[in-house]
Amino acid sequence: MAALAPLPPLPPLPPQFKSIQHHLRTAQEHDKRDPVVAYYCRLYAMQTGMKIDSKTPECRKFLSKLMDQLEALKKQLGDNEAVTQEIVGSAHLENYALKMFLYADNEDRAGRFHKNMIKSFYTASLLIDVITVFGELTDENVKHRKYARWKATYIHNCLKNGETPQAGPVGIEEDNGVTSNTIQPTPQTIPAIDPALFNTVSQGDIRLTPEDFARAQKYCKYAGSALQYEDVSTAVQNLQKALKLLTTGRE
């Protein structure tokens, strides 16, 4: 993809928008690396900023300039399907966030603690925030965001204080501030499988749309992601959804 032209500059960030400053920084960092990610980070910042304060003069000015950036970026991206089709954009963003999360998680489990892995954990959590522009997060994404944010903070504080962090999922700060015991695998309840799915044959009059294929791919991706964390239940549920969609044309 050709390099993007410079975007219109933004005015200073109003104090009211402090909560979106890291999302905007992530957008800037991805302008050349992955413009689609940069676009959706700005879109998230825009939508969130509108909810926070769209009336104060300095906020209105900032949002107006941010809108200019969004329009310029969208124009440059042209007919990129990840921008013109939400389902493609959602899958692109989720894949990117998951790769970043898995990189940091693998480094963590191997006991390799450094600034890049801390930043990867934190950026992954920010990108999961951004995924909300497409709707509600899956339970899996909510867990990934909480864990990534906690890990980034925990490892950063350990290194700052000259301590050696514990590798892997050793525990997590719960909402009441108490650290849970070491995370242990728990017996999993496998969801009941519809017997009809064993005999599924695509009906001749079923015509699947490009959106149907994209949704089926998304369910398969969710299943693959769940297996990364040995979450058999979620994997089976998503594979069943994909199979039903492909054989009946319905979800």
Side-chain angles (χ1 to χ4, degrees):
M1 181 176 182
L4 296 177
L7 297 173
L10 291 174
L13 185 75
Q16 298 95 313
F17 292 162
K18 184 178 179 181
S19 64
I20 59 174
Q21 64 178 340
H22 294 294
H23 302 88
L24 288 170
R25 185 177 302 160
T26 300
Q28 292 175 338
E29 292 171 348
H30 285 81
D31 279 338
K32 294 181 180 178
R33 191 186 313 172
D34 191 320
V36 171
V37 170
Y39 172 79
Y40 282 113
C41 284
R42 286 185 173 87
L43 182 60
Y44 170 83
M46 181 75 189
Q47 292 180 354
T48 305
M50 291 286 289
K51 293 174 185 175
I52 295 172
D53 188 342
S54 61
K55 296 180 180 179
T56 306
E58 60 176 345
C59 290
R60 289 180 63 183
K61 180 182 178 182
F62 184 88
L63 291 173
S64 175
K65 295 296 183 182
L66 181 56
M67 178 62 79
D68 290 343
Q69 283 196 348
L70 273 171
E71 290 176 350
L73 195 49
K74 191 170 185 178
K75 185 176 181 180
Q76 291 187 60
L77 289 171
D79 56 358
N80 188 311
E81 287 188 344
V83 172
T84 60
Q85 296 185 38
E86 281 197 356
I87 196 164
V88 179
S90 176
H92 180 97
L93 206 59
E94 288 191 59
N95 277 328
Y96 192 92
L98 182 62
K99 285 179 183 177
M100 192 160 282
F101 178 91
L102 290 177
Y103 162 74
D105 190 52
N106 288 335
E107 290 293 283
D108 175 40
R109 289 170 189 265
R112 294 188 289 265
F113 307 110
H114 49 85
K115 289 183 179 179
N116 278 347
M117 65 93 72
I118 295 172
K119 185 171 183 179
S120 292
F121 264 135
Y122 189 63
T123 301
S125 76
L126 294 175
L127 293 177
I128 295 174
D129 285 341
V130 174
I131 293 171
T132 60
V133 301
F134 303 104
E136 289 189 20
L137 295 175
T138 61
D139 290 342
E140 178 190 34
N141 280 334
V142 171
K143 290 176 184 176
H144 283 174
R145 178 174 63 180
K146 183 177 182 180
Y147 183 77
R149 201 157 284 172
W150 170 76
K151 264 293 182 180
T153 303
Y154 166 70
I155 297 172
H156 171 77
N157 289 338
C158 283
L159 297 183
K160 182 180 178 181
N161 297 326
E163 301 169 0
T164 301
Q166 289 184 271
V170 294
I172 186 168
E173 290 289 333
E174 302 294 347
D175 293 336
N176 60 9
V178 178
T179 305
S180 66
N181 294 327
T182 301
I183 296 174
Q184 299 289 348
T186 55
Q188 299 190 42
T189 302
I190 307 301
I193 298 177
D194 183 354
L197 291 175
F198 289 115
N199 300 312
T200 51
V201 177
S202 183
Q203 301 172 23
D205 59 346
I206 298 298
R207 292 188 178 182
L208 300 175
T209 66
E211 289 75 19
D212 290 331
F213 285 112
R215 277 198 294 273
Q217 284 183 319
K218 193 172 181 180
Y219 287 135
C220 291
K221 180 179 70 66
Y222 285 156
S225 177
L227 290 175
Q228 292 269 7
Y229 297 91
E230 301 179 1
D231 185 351
V232 178
S233 177
T234 300
V236 170
Q237 288 174 354
N238 281 286
L239 289 173
Q240 283 184 283
K241 288 178 181 178
L243 188 56
K244 182 178 180 181
L245 178 60
L246 291 173
T247 55
T248 69
R250 300 189 307 273
E251 293 191 65

